[in-house]
Amino acid sequence: MTDRLGRTQRFYTRWARLYDLLAVHTPGIGSLRAAAIDRLAIQAGDTVVEMGCGTGANLPLLCQQVDPDGQVIGIDVSTGVLSVASDRVARNGWANVHVVRGDATEPPVEKGSADAVFASLVAGMVDDPAGMVDEWADLVGPGGRLGLLDLARSSDRRARPLNGLFRRFVTTANPRSVRESTAPLATLDRRVAAAHRQLGERCSDADSATRALGFARLSAGTVD
Ligand SMILES: C[S@@+](CC[C@H](N)C(=O)[O-])C[C@H]1O[C@@H](n2cnc3c(N)ncnc32)[C@H](O)[C@@H]1O
């Protein structure tokens, strides 16, 4: 495991319960998750892999959409968040949802075994987000679906007064490797843009939109 991944795993293991509260109860986050998952156009019976699933805040929606005949596989590197996600799965009695430890940049999933890959708030955490999206496109193969939800700085004029608040959110809600980088927001913006751009490269029907005054980026498409 690289130093960066080790720091990520320690951070999200230590703060898993607090992160879960933010992931589920931050005002507006539920409707962003629903809008992003809606764009993924999951069919009943699909197998969906959620990369960097964290505490499982997306699992209720994903589970509902695949129906009992499909399945959801959540992958995350941090044991603490996976333990919260496992509790959520057990509490809800979801027999078709499995959470496993793994690196989203080298997912432990056989190529061609998933219909769709979804990831929210993960692209900004890796050094090569475009390479990661490429890996996911290869995993689902032609006809497979990709969906991303990310937060980055907004260029919307109406959002300017909130950019300071967003900076504080990014610098407190991220591992030290992100907080201490010389320009954490610029790094986040660059990574998020690269991931969404790469989705566009791999899916000719890619559909992208912004929400939440431009702070949220949603993209989805079918791999060519
Ligand atoms: C900001 S949280 C988002 C969690 C969840 N997707 C959500 O929307 O609430 C980022 C998650 O990505 C995970 N993560 C970061 N880099 C990863 C990697 N290379 N492989 C697997 N998980 C990773 C972290 O452990 C953390 O749980």
Side-chain angles (χ1 to χ4, degrees):
M1 189 181 285
T2 61
D3 281 359
R4 171 189 291 284
L5 209 52
R7 280 196 294 268
T8 296
Q9 118 83 14
R10 284 193 294 281
F11 179 86
Y12 280 100
T13 291
R14 180 167 184 205
W15 298 107
R17 299 265 162 207
L18 183 60
Y19 179 77
D20 190 47
L21 290 175
L22 289 174
V24 174
H25 298 294
T26 296
I29 191 75
S31 56
L32 287 177
R33 293 184 187 284
I37 289 171
D38 215 38
R39 298 169 94 85
L40 196 54
I42 296 169
Q43 306 292 313
D46 277 355
T47 293
V48 179
V49 179
E50 186 187 354
M51 302 291 184
C53 64
T55 57
N58 294 311
L59 294 180
L61 289 164
L62 294 173
C63 182
Q64 191 186 348
Q65 302 220 353
V66 299
D67 234 34
D69 292 339
Q71 61 171 336
V72 181
I73 301 163
I75 294 174
D76 202 287
V77 72
S78 309
T79 51
V81 290
L82 282 176
S83 150
V84 177
S86 295
D87 289 349
R88 179 163 274 127
V89 172
R91 213 170 42 245
N92 287 283
W94 294 323
N96 58 342
V97 180
H98 308 279
V99 294
V100 292
R101 188 162 187 228
D103 182 349
T105 65
E106 295 171 356
V109 181
E110 212 175 296
K111 285 195 167 49
S113 62
D115 301 292
V117 166
F118 179 71
S120 60
L121 316 180
V122 178
M125 307 206 62
V126 301
D127 290 333
D128 180 14
M132 181 170 72
V133 169
D134 249 346
E135 185 72 28
W136 300 347
D138 292 343
L139 193 159
V140 293
R145 302 275 302 160
L146 295 180
L148 297 175
L149 164 63
D150 289 290
L151 298 177
R153 271 183 302 192
S154 172
S155 52
D156 188 313
R157 209 167 32 86
R158 292 165 303 161
R160 271 191 210 139
L162 295 172
N163 271 325
L165 202 63
F166 184 66
R167 162 179 276 279
R168 186 165 301 182
F169 170 75
V170 169
T171 49
T172 50
N174 272 292
R176 203 175 338 148
S177 53
V178 175
R179 289 201 310 271
E180 288 183 352
S181 67
T182 45
L185 290 179
T187 303
L188 178 72
D189 292 348
R190 186 172 38 77
R191 289 178 177 166
V192 166
H196 288 248
R197 200 166 43 241
Q198 194 61 22
L199 187 148
E201 292 288 321
R202 297 296 303 261
C203 307
S204 47
D205 67 348
D207 178 26
S208 292
T210 58
R211 294 277 167 90
L213 287 179
F215 286 107
R217 315 278 152 90
L218 291 70
S219 295
T222 312
V223 174
D224 294 327

